[in-house]
Amino acid sequence: MTKKKFTSVDLFSSEYCQYIQYDFTGSNELPGDSYSIKGSGTSIVGAFFSKGSIVIEGQSKKDIIALDVENKEIIVRPDITLSNLYEFLIPQHLFLASVPSYPGASIGGCIAANVHGQNHMKEGCFSNNVKSLLIYHPDKGLIECSIDKNKDLFDLTIGGYGATGVIHEAKLHLISIKTNLLNVKTVTFQTLFEAFQLMEKESINYDYLHSWCDMSLANRNKQPGLISFGSYKQGNQIKQYKIDHKISKVPLPILINIFGTKLIVVVNKLYYFINTIKCYKTMLLHDFIFPSRSNLFYFSMFGKKGVIEHQVIIPKEKAKRYLEEMMMIIENTNPKISLCHLKVFSGHGSLLRFDGSGYCLALHFYNNSKGINTLQEIDKIDLNYGCKVNLVKDSRLSIESINKQYSEVDLFRLKIRNYDPLIKFRNNIINKVFNKNGK
């Protein structure tokens, strides 16, 4: 084993950990008694390491085990990335629903965080893709699980942040696509609530939606932004697309503070102009569903202090009041907010899954005293309005907030302890949930 430093993308946490590469076709023996599982290592928070754990990174010569085109199913290793899967499946007019915005994410990470994509109203979360799993635990060996077999383990693994063991194989349901070209229409909005209402109304009419709001100069009366609506073009054309496999595996090579300065206003104005200059255009599917496709250099533009992402599901009936109160807080505290995304959710959040019904809002704060003070006030209205914050986005989230926002967190704890009393698979999220070295 070697020892190396692991750092979360938000720069909130960092640890020197023992590190091993895990061969899915090998003996499966693991040294030690505390483990963290690393997928692509690109989660915002430290979901792939923790103090005292041995970090496991899977490696396989063959990431794709089997493809059943007729039944639209594929069996893969968890370390395969979305971009590699896209490159393999698109020529066969197949892909996955509910994929996150970064194509370098691994399938194992998507399962562990139960991620969502660009139209939750139609697709739901990544859990809807998962047919069955093969999981390894050092005390139990290899275990098959699905909705029909070992269902508790299946449910605990999807959205369980790696607490059940190493995923060896995942059988996934695929969707058919006729083309990888989208017709895209972009419209503008003046307030967040207006945008949410429009997205909810139009979600059924489009395949994908992508939204952005300029919060750099927003106030309680005006929060300008844009929504891009994407629908598949007519026809069966699969346009050739060259995947950039040079996506940086070191996401923060150079730390330059742009988003903590007044330059953020210029950057946002330029982004708004570029994306609204043409209201109608044709885009490749890859480019639309993976807006973070290039690399993770964006996060290096917060400098050495890093970023805090706060993603929350707001109950629809309380959203207008919540947004008004949130904007009053932001106007009074004047933090630097580089990014704001909106989505509409229509689901059910069991155990530790970030899911539910409501308006989903994501904000990126520059990590300084103003940002922290603003978030502390927003934390209060999150609780007052019955919101749910995403565990894999906000490193600050306290155990008290988790207990109040996740109604089945105690059930998750009970089931994990029954399955693995020593809780051998841990990371910063699991430690916090079980309050061991958590904050």
Side-chain angles (χ1 to χ4, degrees):
M1 285 191 297
T2 58
K3 201 167 190 178
K4 61 189 294 187
K5 186 178 182 180
F6 295 92
T7 303
S8 58
V9 171
D10 62 6
L11 302 184
F12 190 91
S13 54
S14 183
E15 293 288 349
Y16 282 94
C17 299
Q18 297 290 338
Y19 168 79
I20 60 170
Q21 289 190 317
Y22 181 86
D23 184 355
F24 295 110
T25 60
S27 66
N28 302 331
E29 292 183 7
L30 292 174
D33 58 8
S34 181
Y35 317 102
S36 298
I37 304 167
K38 178 179 176 289
S40 62
T42 53
S43 63
I44 302 290
V45 304
F48 53 95
F49 64 90
S50 67
K51 187 175 182 179
S53 69
I54 297 170
V55 175
I56 300 168
E57 182 173 20
Q59 59 176 358
S60 54
K61 295 179 180 178
K62 186 179 179 182
D63 287 333
I64 298 169
I65 299 170
L67 172 65
D68 184 339
V69 174
E70 184 178 352
N71 291 311
K72 292 186 286 189
E73 293 178 351
I74 190 168
I75 302 174
V76 298
R77 296 294 187 193
D79 57 327
I80 190 170
T81 62
L82 292 172
S83 60
N84 287 339
L85 202 50
Y86 179 96
E87 191 172 43
F88 175 75
L89 290 172
I90 288 298
Q92 302 179 72
H93 294 264
L94 295 168
F95 196 50
L96 290 165
S98 311
V99 295
S101 64
Y102 182 58
S106 69
I107 288 297
C110 291
I111 293 169
N114 191 33
V115 297
H116 55 270
Q118 305 299 330
N119 192 345
H120 189 282
M121 292 279 286
K122 273 191 173 181
E123 299 180 335
C125 285
F126 199 83
S127 55
N128 293 335
N129 295 325
V130 187
K131 303 276 287 186
S132 65
L133 299 168
L134 182 64
I135 297 169
Y136 175 75
H137 189 284
D139 297 339
K140 303 172 186 294
L142 289 168
I143 311 170
E144 294 181 29
C145 61
S146 67
I147 197 167
D148 299 314
K149 184 178 182 180
N150 295 315
K151 185 178 183 299
D152 268 1
L153 178 59
F154 186 70
D155 290 340
L156 285 170
T157 302
I158 301 172
Y161 301 103
T164 59
V166 182
I167 297 173
H168 265 233
E169 298 176 7
K171 180 188 283 188
L172 305 173
H173 171 71
L174 303 172
I175 58 171
S176 297
I177 62 165
K178 292 182 178 181
T179 177
N180 65 338
L181 295 173
L182 299 178
N183 288 322
V184 178
K185 178 180 77 170
T186 299
V187 301
T188 60
F189 61 81
Q190 296 304 311
T191 69
L192 292 170
F193 189 66
E194 173 197 343
F196 277 126
Q197 289 185 307
L198 181 59
M199 292 176 72
E200 183 174 15
K201 177 183 176 183
E202 296 291 350
S203 289
I204 193 66
N205 298 321
Y206 293 90
D207 296 300
Y208 304 103
L209 300 85
H210 179 71
S211 64
W212 175 87
C213 178
D214 182 2
M215 296 292 286
S216 62
L217 292 176
N219 56 50
R220 69 185 73 184
N221 297 316
K222 189 175 181 180
Q223 308 97 46
L226 59 93
I227 306 170
S228 293
F229 300 97
S231 295
Y232 286 106
K233 286 178 68 71
Q234 295 293 318
N236 298 308
Q237 181 187 5
I238 295 294
K239 187 171 182 180
Q240 190 172 6
Y241 182 76
K242 181 73 173 175
I243 299 283
D244 182 6
H245 292 288
K246 295 181 179 179
I247 292 175
S248 174
K249 292 192 175 182
V250 182
L252 310 176
I254 302 174
L255 299 175
I256 303 173
N257 182 13
I258 299 294
F259 294 138
T261 72
K262 291 181 180 180
L263 286 173
I264 189 175
V265 176
V266 178
V267 172
N268 281 1
K269 282 186 178 295
L270 183 61
Y271 182 88
Y272 184 89
F273 174 77
I274 291 171
N275 285 277
T276 55
I277 193 169
K278 288 181 67 176
C279 294
Y280 296 91
K281 56 189 172 183
T282 299
M283 287 184 69
L284 286 160
L285 172 65
H286 183 279
D287 293 351
F288 192 92
I289 63 174
F290 296 129
S292 306
R293 60 190 173 275
S294 302
N295 49 45
L296 295 181
F297 75 91
Y298 161 82
F299 291 98
S300 70
M301 297 172 74
F302 291 89
K304 294 181 179 179
K305 290 191 174 181
V307 61
I308 303 171
E309 179 171 356
H310 191 74
Q311 186 175 48
V312 59
I313 300 173
I314 312 159
K316 292 177 186 177
E317 68 276 8
K318 300 177 182 178
K320 193 171 190 298
R321 285 177 292 152
Y322 175 96
L323 293 170
E324 289 171 351
E325 199 163 333
M326 183 194 75
M327 288 311 306
M328 287 178 64
I329 292 170
I330 290 172
E331 191 172 309
N332 290 335
T333 53
N334 193 30
K336 292 288 189 297
I337 301 175
S338 64
L339 192 68
C340 174
H341 285 316
L342 301 82
K343 296 178 181 180
V344 181
F345 271 43
S346 179
H348 172 68
S350 60
L351 299 173
L352 280 189
R353 297 179 185 180
F354 181 73
D355 199 356
S357 179
Y359 294 151
C360 180
L361 180 71
L363 298 166
H364 286 193
F365 291 82
Y366 177 61
N367 187 2
N368 64 359
S369 58
K370 284 187 176 182
I372 293 291
N373 291 338
T374 303
L375 281 161
Q376 288 173 346
E377 294 302 310
I378 291 175
D379 289 340
K380 295 175 185 177
I381 63 171
D382 287 343
L383 294 176
N384 291 342
Y385 287 96
C387 302
K388 179 186 283 189
V389 177
N390 196 343
L391 298 179
V392 82
K393 297 293 187 180
D394 192 343
S395 292
R396 309 168 310 110
L397 193 62
S398 67
I399 187 62
E400 291 78 17
S401 292
I402 294 171
N403 288 338
K404 291 177 181 177
Q405 295 176 14
Y406 286 79
S407 61
E408 294 189 1
V409 63
D410 284 333
L411 180 61
F412 178 84
R413 292 180 179 121
L414 176 64
K415 289 190 172 187
I416 287 293
R417 286 194 175 105
N418 287 339
Y419 168 75
D420 178 8
L422 297 179
I423 315 175
K424 288 191 172 183
F425 288 87
R426 293 180 171 274
N427 51 48
N428 288 327
I429 293 177
I430 295 301
N431 277 345
K432 187 180 291 186
V433 168
F434 288 91
N435 212 18
K436 181 178 179 180
N437 300 323
K439 297 180 180 178

